[in-house]
Amino acid sequence: MSFVAKCLNGRLGRGVAGALIQASSNGNFFRPLCTSSTYRQTIGSPLAQYKPPLLRYESDEPWSITQRRYRWRHKLVRAPPTKPLAFDYSGDQSMSIGSVNLTEPKLGFEKVEELKDVDENVKKIFSLEFDTKSGVVRKLIHDLLSKVKDHPLDLRSLEVIIATDTIMIRNGIKHCLQFRNDKITKSRLIKRIVRRRRMLRDLKSKDIEKFNWITSELKLKYVEPGKFDNRKLSKKGVRKKIARDAARALQKKKMEEFQKRLEQEKVVFEKYRDNELAKIEAELKELGVDKMTTIRDTLEALNLGDMLPAPEPRRSRRWLLLQKKFELYGERKKILDDEILKANGFLTAKEMPYLP
């Protein structure tokens, strides 16, 4: 009996020691330890070859810590995410952020004259090929902003912020699709998308020509956010929506039928109009009028200018609305004055006797 078995025999009982001896003789130390009663029944019986069930896998392959952890959970690989990750709501119709020439010097070393006469290896070290990814992105932003800026010191205009956010958003989308567990970058990306949408809305309200140019240049699609797009409808709201959609469909159907009927009546009216115009021209020739331009010219040619109606002054829609309001306010004031007179015991204008 080994030293370990002797120690366990005194501390934990003969069953545990026997289990260790049996495991060491079989050469498998990864089998679980059974109770003493189980081994007492199996040793010296026909079930001597009995092996207790494994709690872990018997494979002798060297698993890494992560793989072993998943094998213990009865999983061989990490399950793919069930919720798809997409950023279609960002409005980016293209994920390209442009390209740069990697042989060009790094940002900030373009105007260094000493780099023109140095060795090729030194030029490579100071080129974009040996720069970091963030340095290449800064170069892309610099090249794009040179097209967008109104003047060299333009740093906080709407166009500059939109162009900068566009490059950062497209880089962030690629990163988040590759590393799904990077929640911090994802939250920053969503904030940038929301800010760029707000900037596009402000630019559209201020300068529509610049808005159209920058959306076509950056390949962006701006959709006006609806007031109730994300609202969850109740049961009553669903019934109202169904009724509203049915009413609109019926209205559209009736309008189409009306348009068809209108086209048919239009043909009949054109024939009637041609006949009437021919009759009018014949009557004018009998009266000695060679040419008719307007009704005014015709009546003046017949010496009937007094029959012309006086031209009405053209009123704007706002003026007509104000006139209607004044009429309503005047009627309301008469009613209130009558009520005040009645409350104080006086006669109203309608109740007063007629005096010739």
Side-chain angles (χ1 to χ4, degrees):
M1 185 179 293
S2 63
F3 175 75
V4 178
K6 287 180 180 179
C7 294
L8 290 174
N9 191 17
R11 288 177 177 270
L12 303 177
R14 296 178 181 178
V16 177
L20 279 176
I21 294 168
Q22 184 69 17
S24 61
S25 61
N26 293 338
N28 188 355
F29 288 93
F30 289 96
R31 295 184 178 279
L33 302 177
C34 296
T35 57
S36 59
S37 59
T38 304
Y39 264 89
R40 213 175 282 124
Q41 293 173 4
T42 55
I43 295 175
S45 64
L47 300 177
Q49 302 298 324
Y50 169 77
K51 294 182 180 180
L54 293 177
L55 295 182
R56 300 177 186 173
Y57 289 84
E58 280 191 290
S59 176
D60 297 331
E61 300 177 9
W63 299 95
S64 65
I65 295 174
T66 307
Q67 289 170 327
R68 190 182 301 125
R69 185 185 302 124
Y70 281 104
R71 287 184 67 83
W72 289 353
R73 297 177 185 172
H74 304 285
K75 293 179 182 179
L76 296 178
V77 293
R78 186 186 293 273
T82 55
K83 184 179 179 181
L85 186 63
F87 297 93
D88 299 334
Y89 58 89
S90 66
D92 291 274
Q93 296 178 335
S94 174
M95 285 293 111
S96 65
I97 56 176
S99 60
V100 293
N101 187 7
L102 296 179
T103 59
E104 294 180 358
K106 298 178 184 179
L107 188 63
F109 292 92
E110 303 93 343
K111 299 181 180 180
V112 177
E113 298 293 337
E114 288 79 1
L115 287 176
K116 296 180 180 179
D117 303 328
V118 296
D119 189 22
E120 292 294 329
N121 295 328
V122 178
K123 287 184 180 180
K124 274 191 175 182
I125 292 173
F126 284 93
S127 66
L128 291 172
E129 185 179 357
F130 282 80
D131 201 356
T132 59
K133 185 179 178 181
S134 59
V136 177
V137 172
R138 284 196 298 270
K139 177 66 176 176
L140 285 168
I141 294 174
H142 179 267
D143 294 344
L144 182 60
L145 294 186
S146 61
K147 303 177 184 178
V148 177
K149 283 182 179 180
D150 291 336
H151 50 84
L153 298 178
D154 184 11
L155 299 176
R156 298 303 300 169
S157 64
L158 293 176
E159 308 93 90
V160 171
I161 298 174
I162 290 169
T164 307
D165 283 349
T166 299
I167 293 179
M168 301 302 293
I169 285 168
R170 290 177 183 176
N171 271 329
I173 288 174
K174 293 178 183 178
H175 177 84
C176 289
L177 291 176
Q178 185 179 0
F179 304 100
R180 293 177 62 95
N181 290 332
D182 194 352
K183 306 299 182 184
I184 297 176
T185 305
K186 183 181 176 183
S187 64
R188 290 174 182 169
L189 173 62
I190 293 171
K191 288 180 181 178
R192 281 187 182 274
I193 291 172
V194 173
R195 183 176 73 169
R196 185 182 66 177
R197 187 182 295 134
R198 187 173 65 249
M199 295 292 177
L200 284 170
R201 182 193 63 197
D202 296 344
L203 182 62
K204 185 179 180 182
S205 62
K206 291 180 180 178
D207 194 344
I208 188 65
E209 293 182 358
K210 268 188 180 178
F211 171 81
N212 293 332
W213 175 79
I214 200 167
T215 50
S216 63
E217 189 74 19
L218 300 177
K219 295 181 181 179
L220 295 174
K221 181 181 179 182
Y222 176 72
V223 180
E224 288 284 352
K227 189 176 181 180
F228 302 109
D229 286 347
N230 301 324
R231 183 182 65 176
K232 185 177 179 181
L233 295 177
S234 60
K235 291 182 179 179
K236 186 176 180 181
V238 170
R239 291 196 297 269
K240 283 186 176 182
K241 185 177 183 300
I242 293 171
R244 187 166 56 249
D245 294 343
R248 289 175 180 171
L250 182 61
Q251 184 181 9
K252 185 178 179 181
K253 182 180 177 182
K254 288 185 176 181
M255 286 297 296
E256 290 175 354
E257 293 176 355
F258 175 74
Q259 289 289 343
K260 291 179 181 178
R261 192 168 68 251
L262 184 62
E263 292 294 332
Q264 295 173 0
E265 293 180 358
K266 190 176 180 181
V267 176
V268 178
F269 172 75
E270 287 178 353
K271 292 180 180 179
Y272 170 76
R273 183 190 62 185
D274 295 339
N275 295 331
E276 291 295 323
L277 287 175
K279 291 179 183 179
I280 292 171
E281 288 177 0
E283 292 178 358
L284 288 174
K285 286 181 181 179
E286 292 177 1
L287 296 172
V289 179
D290 298 331
K291 187 177 180 181
M292 182 187 73
T293 55
T294 60
I295 297 176
R296 179 181 292 275
D297 296 339
T298 304
L299 292 175
E300 288 177 355
L302 297 174
N303 297 322
L304 299 174
D306 299 335
M307 298 177 61
L308 289 173
E312 295 182 1
R314 186 174 178 180
R315 304 295 186 183
S316 64
R317 185 172 178 271
R318 180 177 177 80
W319 187 88
L320 296 173
L321 287 173
L322 288 174
Q323 290 297 114
K324 189 65 176 176
K325 282 185 178 180
F326 292 152
E327 291 177 6
L328 294 175
Y329 291 158
E331 294 177 0
R332 183 62 182 167
K333 186 175 183 304
K334 288 180 182 179
I335 295 171
L336 291 175
D337 291 343
D338 292 345
E339 291 177 355
I340 293 171
L341 289 172
K342 283 184 180 181
N344 293 309
F346 295 98
L347 294 175
T348 61
K350 294 180 180 179
E351 296 176 351
M352 292 181 67
Y354 175 73
L355 298 175

